[in-house]
């Protein structure tokens, strides 16, 4: 998706619960293997004790709206992404979020793209805003709100052991987009490119039959189990090869969409998803080293993997630090089961 700088990022927010589960405690209590904790490299994970995922999303959304100076009633679209249970069956979390915010003029939409859900929601929202700006000139700016939220609770999910290469932290994120961009907006969304390898869906299905009810095949979400079944049949080499190829394709595609060369000196960093240290060191960083001149950075080791929220949380970090001077560009990477990979290109507008 090429935005031609029509769409801006007005604000971004992350809501984290106050409680933390430390890796040291998890190892001492035999809730995670010591080697696995070292490979993950997350000293602690945020834990939501008594607040649901949709409630967290409302808190993050309120902050993003406050930071952007935009009323909830002035949003055109609200996309909410999640990967784990949201608290009710046959129920729409995005409509709840819109209701709680007072966003009564928006269209709420749910996105389930597993860990790439936040990136998918951003891409769809930006494309919708850009299209409306072209088709309805003279109407004024339109705003879209993207939220993500997940709460990884036992007994259905083990934040330390349900997956390989990732430990899961509870959090919500929110990003406010505007089109057409205002000159005072802090970031322009130059491009957001996504690629997919659908045959890898089997990695999270394994050899399990289709179940009649949630968790009929396993009392706990156990991605380790399905991945072992997949790898025992196919081996690890094919996935490693596809992952490297897709990282290359998505970065090159995003750069091409944005009209940038890989060695453009304005590109200051490539932000990695909040996955485990060993996974990033073994696959992502070596691939990027031969691809772009800018350094790969990881912000967020203290949170662990935020489910659908890694890329939106990265946007929050870009704005919070701030990481880009006027005219600078950053790349933000993400990936999720299925599999899909996304790369966002953002630019800090040049000083007027």
């Amino acid at each position: 998706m090429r935005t031609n700088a029509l769409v801006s990022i007005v604000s971004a927010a992350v809501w984290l619960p106050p409680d933390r589960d430390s890796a040291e405690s998890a190892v001492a209590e035999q809730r995670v293997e010591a080697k696995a904790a070292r490979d993950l490299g997350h000293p602690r994970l945020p834990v939501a004790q008594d607040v649901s995922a949709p409630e967290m999303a409302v808190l993050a959304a309120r902050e993003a709206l406050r930071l952007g100076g935009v009323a909830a009633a002035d949003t055109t679209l609200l996309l909410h992404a999640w990967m784990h249970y949201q608290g009710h069956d046959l129920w729409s979390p995005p409509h709840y979020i819109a209701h709680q915010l007072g966003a009564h003029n928006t269209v709420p939409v749910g996105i389930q793209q597993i860990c790439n859900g936040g990136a998918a929601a951003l891409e769809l929202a930006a494309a919708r805003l850009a299209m409306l700006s072209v088709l309805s000139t003279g109407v004024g700016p339109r705003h879209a709100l993207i939220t993500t939220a997940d709460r990884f609770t036992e007994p259905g999910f083990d934040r330390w052991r349900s997956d390989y290469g990732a430990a899961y932290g509870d959090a919500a994120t929110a990003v406010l987009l505007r089109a057409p961009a205002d000159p005072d907006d802090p970031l322009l969304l130059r491009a957001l490119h996504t690629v997919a390898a659908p045959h890898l869906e089997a990695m999270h299905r394994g050899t399990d039959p289709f179940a009649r009810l949630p968790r009929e095949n396993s009392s706990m979400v156990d991605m380790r189990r399905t991945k072992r079944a997949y790898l025992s049949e196919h081996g690890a080499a094919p996935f490693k090869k596809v992952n490297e190829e897709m990282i290359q394709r998505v970065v090159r595609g995003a750069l091409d969409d944005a009209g940038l060369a890989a060695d453009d000196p304005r590109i200051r960093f490539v932000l990695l998803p909040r996955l485990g240290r060993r996974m990033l060191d073994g696959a992502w960083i070596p691939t990027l080293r031969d691809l772009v001149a800018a350094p790969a950075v990881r912000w967020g080791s203290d949170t662990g993997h935020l489910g659908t929220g890694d890329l939106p949380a990265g946007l929050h970090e870009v704005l919070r630090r701030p990481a880009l001077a006027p005219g600078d560009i950053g790349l933000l990477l993400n990936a999720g089961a299925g599999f899909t990979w996304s790369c966002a290109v953002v630019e800090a507008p040049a000083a007027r």
Side-chain angles (χ1 to χ4, degrees):
M1 187 263 315
R2 180 181 299 173
T3 65
N4 293 324
L6 280 171
V7 179
S8 64
I9 296 162
V10 181
S11 62
V14 174
W15 190 88
L16 296 171
D19 294 323
R20 298 292 183 272
D21 184 10
S22 72
E24 182 180 6
S25 295
V27 171
E29 296 164 9
Q30 299 184 344
R31 292 185 288 115
V32 67
E33 305 85 347
K35 182 180 183 303
R38 290 194 300 270
D39 289 345
L40 289 166
H42 301 303
R44 61 194 63 83
L45 301 173
V47 177
Q49 297 287 5
D50 53 8
V51 58
S52 71
E55 289 171 318
M56 292 192 289
V58 171
L59 294 169
R62 284 178 178 155
E63 178 65 5
L65 290 168
R66 184 191 70 81
L67 290 170
V70 173
D74 292 334
T75 56
T76 301
L77 183 66
L78 189 155
L79 273 66
H80 177 62
W82 72 95
M83 66 172 284
H84 193 45
Y85 188 59
Q86 297 286 288
H88 292 282
D89 299 318
L90 293 175
W91 172 74
S92 176
H95 285 76
Y96 167 86
I97 296 165
H99 178 203
Q100 296 302 309
L101 293 174
H104 301 304
N105 298 316
T106 195
V107 177
V109 179
I111 303 293
Q112 288 196 273
Q113 189 77 348
I114 316 298
C115 300
N116 210 45
L122 280 163
E123 185 169 359
L124 293 171
R128 174 70 173 171
L129 287 181
M131 182 189 71
L132 289 174
S133 295
V134 171
L135 295 179
S136 305
T137 58
V139 174
R142 288 183 170 88
H143 299 89
L145 187 62
I146 295 91
T147 62
T148 74
D150 278 298
R151 181 184 180 202
F152 301 101
T153 57
E154 293 186 351
F157 199 105
D158 185 332
R159 67 181 71 252
W160 291 104
R161 281 178 162 162
S162 274
D163 201 359
Y164 289 120
Y168 290 74
D170 300 342
T173 72
V175 178
L176 183 64
L177 302 181
R178 174 160 41 218
D182 187 278
D184 292 327
D185 289 338
L187 287 177
L188 300 175
L189 183 60
R190 290 279 300 270
L192 209 171
H193 195 82
T194 298
V195 297
H199 70 282
L200 292 176
E201 59 81 21
M203 186 170 284
H204 286 74
R205 179 168 49 87
T207 57
D208 290 351
F210 285 93
R212 300 167 300 163
L213 301 168
R215 295 203 296 272
E216 185 178 46
N217 288 323
S218 175
S219 61
M220 178 175 286
V221 175
D222 190 353
M223 292 170 277
R224 288 185 176 189
R225 180 177 58 82
T226 59
K227 287 179 178 180
R228 283 195 301 269
Y230 179 88
L231 294 173
S232 68
E233 179 178 354
H234 301 280
F239 173 77
K240 182 176 184 294
K241 183 173 183 293
V242 171
N243 185 49
E244 292 173 356
E245 290 175 349
M246 291 299 171
I247 293 171
Q248 293 169 356
R249 277 185 54 190
V250 77
V251 171
R252 288 173 178 150
L255 291 173
D256 184 61
D257 287 349
L260 296 169
D263 59 353
D264 192 312
R266 293 175 295 169
I267 303 174
R268 308 303 296 170
F269 60 80
V270 183
L271 180 57
L272 298 166
R274 301 183 179 208
L275 302 175
R277 179 171 53 198
R278 184 180 180 187
M279 178 177 289
L280 295 176
D281 288 344
W284 289 73
I285 292 176
T287 303
L288 292 167
R289 192 178 295 128
D290 298 330
L291 192 60
V292 290
V297 298
R298 40 187 144 197
W299 301 329
S301 61
D302 278 1
T303 70
H305 184 38
L306 300 182
T308 54
D310 281 9
L311 196 146
L315 291 172
H316 171 258
E317 285 294 320
V318 173
L319 294 173
R320 183 186 71 85
R321 289 178 180 259
L324 298 175
D328 284 348
I329 291 168
L331 307 185
L332 294 86
L333 286 172
N334 204 68
F339 270 73
T340 52
W341 292 255
S342 289
C343 180
V345 181
V346 297
E347 178 183 353
R352 291 184 293 170

